[in-house]
Amino acid sequence: MIRAHHKFWPIRVPHAIAPPVTALPDNLLVSARRFPQRPALVFLGHTTTYAELADQVGRLAAWLAARGVKRGDRVLVGLQNCPQLVVAHYAILSANAVVVPVNPMNRAAELRHLIEDSGAVFAITSADLSAEWLAAGMPAKDLLVTRLAEVLPDGRTDGAGLPPGWADWLNADIALPAGTPCWAEALACTAAPPVTEVGADDLALLPYTSGTTGNPKGCMHKHRSLQHNIFAGGLWANVCHEDVVLGVVPMFHITGMVVVMHGTLAAGASLVLMPRWQREYAARLIATNRVTRWTNIPTMVIDLLASPEVDTFDLSSMVTIGGGGAAMPQAIAERLWQRYGLRYMEGYGLTETAAPSHSNPYDAPKQQCLGVPYMSCDARVVDPDTLRELPPGEAGEIIVCGPMVFDGYWRHPDATRAAFIEFEGRRFFRTGDIGFVDADGYFFMTDRLKRMINASGFKVWPAEVENLMHAHPGIAEACIISAPDAYRGETVKAVVVRRAGHESLTDAELRDWCRANMAVYKVPALIEFVDTLPKSGAGKVMWRALQDREKAKG
């Protein structure tokens, strides 16, 4: 069916594609056969060629298989952006197992839920994070540990050319319990790699996201849903093997994983890995490596352009820049265009849609816009109560149908049923995001049906933070809402009722406790102590009343 946005469709791009029926590891093997000596990864100045990367993947896959990892097993990966993360992902998939990506900022309580809910048999992390994993109950014998800098020629970095303080955590080598396997041991494996038996319809990825209630839930992605967006992304952006991509978006996140990591390696392009964000170092990597493409979150661009050294930055190699997770402010987009001649291309997607379900056409973008439905994707705006499709300009819930949509939530059949509707005879995913379509068929987001807080592109789910905060002995009740923030767009606020006997609990003390028990981006930036929380007749906390009050303050 011809829709309004099709008149803006890139002429070189098909409206739909049939993704490969092969599993993800095949993408890397094809690139390694085509471009064995081409740089696959660049990390702290050290290059790993495609031939070397494929060899390391084979060695780790063989080692995992020798330790009993088999088809369908879940393996957790909690690492910063580094070569070990890339090797781990492809090795797990090559061993016919399932990758469970983990935010390296997670603390023990958060890790414990992922370990138990996924039923993971093994985990891979770095030395500086290992204490949290052990505290979460991961047996030392089932925890493969690496030092981030050990992939460098000397096994360490002297910190030259790196941001201050980076050398300490990159070189971190913490004493571990006896029997904890190490990276060098695994990569020394000389056994034959297992035969990759999985295909398009096997489970490949179990990234965790959350909803309006309870703990995070695993999103079941088979190889086929990921393959669709990997190859669709290459076509949409006209990527080729001569490209150089800056990989600073976290690759535990669906966008960094699918668009940046898998998309780059499937194309045979070079991936410049950046383990943490630091604006001057990012600019140096772009100039030194002649980076052509950079997927990011808008706050990174805001920070880059705010650098006192911005006039010295050389971004002349850049061909495309874009991202999502939050709207790019119009003023920043204009500065980017005026200073560097770069149009910021915004897109939209969720963990459930393997990153993009929408993107702006490169030849006809609109600012502060989600874009148009992606290749093979159908999206509509419906009344969230009646599910009636709404006309252009009228706000409702965005629903999505296409091969990039996940199969459902791991071990949560009720949540899966609630997440999908039948619309015009097909299965559509309810995004929970409120938006509208303009007369040209471009989508815009205006609000969220769910309670999710978007802080600089990091998604914070209030129910999860509330659950974690209730473990504090001084908290009787807590309600998490969003508050406006000039830099992050919105930030986390906690409205807290102290428990009797803990009247002296301060916001600083509570914030310190939160930092020790949850990822830092979830920690409430604002804490308000109150005597009671508003309740409904059924006794439920009326979070929306608190949220509306906060908005009224703004």
Side-chain angles (χ1 to χ4, degrees):
M1 179 184 296
I2 300 298
R3 299 198 178 275
H5 67 271
H6 287 160
K7 63 184 175 183
F8 304 101
W9 196 264
I11 196 167
R12 65 186 180 276
V13 176
H15 288 271
I17 64 166
V21 297
T22 50
L24 290 167
D26 191 63
N27 300 346
L28 175 61
L29 294 176
V30 168
S31 292
R33 288 197 299 270
R34 287 175 171 168
F35 312 109
Q37 299 311 311
R38 179 170 175 77
L41 309 175
V42 179
F43 180 67
L44 308 181
H46 175 65
T47 295
T48 302
T49 67
Y50 270 96
E52 292 168 337
L53 177 58
D55 177 67
Q56 292 173 24
V57 166
R59 288 173 179 269
L60 181 57
W63 185 85
L64 289 170
R67 300 205 42 117
V69 174
K70 60 186 184 303
R71 185 170 185 166
D73 282 346
R74 278 78 61 205
V75 178
L76 298 140
V77 179
L79 289 165
Q80 304 274 13
N81 289 2
C82 61
Q84 296 97 311
L85 181 147
V86 179
V87 173
H89 272 246
Y90 280 93
I92 292 164
L93 296 168
S94 297
N96 303 296
V98 179
V99 174
V100 184
V102 178
N103 186 335
M105 291 187 281
N106 278 1
R107 309 307 293 260
E110 297 159 313
L111 295 174
R112 188 175 302 113
H113 170 70
L114 300 182
I115 294 167
E116 294 173 354
D117 189 77
S118 69
V121 299
F122 207 78
I124 302 174
T125 192
S126 54
D128 58 307
L129 304 176
S130 57
E132 293 290 340
W133 283 89
L134 294 169
M138 197 72 202
K141 65 181 180 61
D142 296 327
L143 185 65
L144 176 60
V145 178
T146 181
R147 285 185 305 106
L148 295 188
E150 75 174 286
V151 296
L152 302 179
D154 295 328
R156 296 181 64 82
T157 176
D158 59 9
L162 296 177
W166 276 32
D168 293 338
W169 61 271
L170 288 167
N171 291 325
D173 192 6
I174 296 169
L176 295 165
T180 307
C182 66
W183 189 258
E185 168 197 330
L187 269 288
C189 182
T190 58
V195 175
T196 303
E197 301 170 339
V198 292
D201 290 320
D202 286 283
L203 188 63
L205 185 70
L206 198 62
Y208 273 73
T209 188
S210 199
T212 55
T213 59
N215 286 311
K217 298 184 289 292
C219 296
M220 296 185 290
H221 274 290
K222 295 182 177 178
H223 288 265
R224 55 174 160 75
S225 58
L226 304 176
Q227 288 283 48
H228 179 276
N229 274 6
I230 290 166
F231 283 85
L235 288 167
W236 188 261
N238 200 27
V239 176
C240 78
H241 64 274
E242 297 296 336
D243 276 309
V244 180
V245 178
L246 181 62
V248 63
V249 172
M251 295 193 307
F252 70 81
H253 188 275
I254 195 73
T255 299
M257 190 190 320
V258 175
V259 176
V260 179
M261 180 179 72
H262 287 311
T264 300
L265 298 178
S270 296
L271 180 57
V272 180
L273 293 167
M274 189 172 172
R276 289 182 180 175
W277 170 252
Q278 203 277 342
R279 61 193 181 188
E280 287 78 22
Y281 186 55
R284 193 179 316 140
L285 289 179
I286 291 170
T288 302
N289 295 281
R290 306 304 294 165
V291 168
T292 58
R293 300 180 184 275
W294 177 24
T295 297
N296 53 56
I297 54 176
T299 48
M300 291 179 177
V301 180
I302 294 170
D303 194 37
L304 186 82
L305 296 181
S307 169
E309 301 176 26
V310 68
D311 290 334
T312 68
F313 293 166
D314 177 9
L315 306 187
S316 60
S317 60
M318 293 282 293
V319 175
T320 63
I321 182 172
M328 169 61 80
Q330 184 69 28
I332 300 299
E334 289 175 359
R335 285 184 61 196
L336 193 63
W337 169 250
Q338 291 165 4
R339 183 182 286 272
Y340 299 111
L342 292 169
R343 293 282 190 202
Y344 192 84
M345 300 294 170
E346 297 186 50
Y348 166 79
L350 303 99
T351 304
E352 289 91 340
T353 63
S357 61
H358 294 65
S359 187
N360 269 277
Y362 278 75
D363 302 320
K366 292 189 180 187
Q367 295 299 313
Q368 296 183 306
C369 171
L370 305 180
V372 301
Y374 208 45
M375 273 177 280
S376 314
C377 180
D378 186 7
R380 311 291 182 90
V381 173
V382 301
D383 182 296
D385 296 320
T386 67
L387 304 181
R388 174 181 61 87
E389 185 170 8
L390 299 174
E394 191 170 335
E397 184 178 3
I398 300 170
I399 60 172
V400 174
C401 175
M404 71 290 294
V405 176
F406 77 139
D407 275 34
Y409 295 110
W410 174 256
R411 295 176 175 170
H412 283 277
D414 291 342
T416 299
R417 280 190 291 273
F420 289 92
I421 61 169
E422 184 173 320
F423 182 83
E424 295 184 350
R426 290 180 296 156
R427 187 176 186 244
F428 276 74
F429 170 63
R430 301 187 66 166
T431 68
D433 288 330
I434 302 298
F436 67 91
V437 183
D438 70 7
D440 294 326
Y442 286 69
F443 281 64
F444 294 79
M445 192 165 77
T446 58
D447 204 346
R448 297 185 186 93
L449 195 61
K450 300 175 184 176
R451 287 180 64 192
M452 188 264 289
I453 299 169
N454 193 332
S456 294
F458 285 100
K459 294 180 178 179
V460 180
W461 301 95
E464 181 191 2
V465 180
E466 289 165 1
N467 287 343
L468 291 167
M469 289 187 71
H470 278 112
H472 189 289
I475 292 179
E477 292 183 296
C479 182
I480 298 298
I481 58 175
S482 69
D485 185 274
Y487 176 66
R488 302 176 81 194
E490 56 184 349
T491 195
V492 182
K493 178 175 180 177
V495 185
V496 175
V497 178
R498 297 183 183 93
R499 190 179 297 278
H502 294 268
E503 289 80 7
S504 62
L505 177 66
T506 67
D507 57 350
E509 292 170 340
L510 182 51
R511 198 172 289 109
D512 286 344
W513 183 91
C514 288
R515 288 194 186 100
N517 287 276
M518 64 184 74
V520 67
Y521 67 90
K522 301 175 187 174
V523 174
L526 302 171
I527 296 175
E528 177 185 354
F529 290 107
V530 296
D531 293 332
T532 59
L533 294 177
K535 305 279 180 59
S536 69
K540 293 184 178 180
V541 174
M542 298 171 65
W543 65 268
R544 192 176 292 280
L546 293 172
Q547 185 64 75
D548 290 345
R549 185 192 68 175
E550 192 66 27
K551 287 183 178 179
K553 288 182 185 177

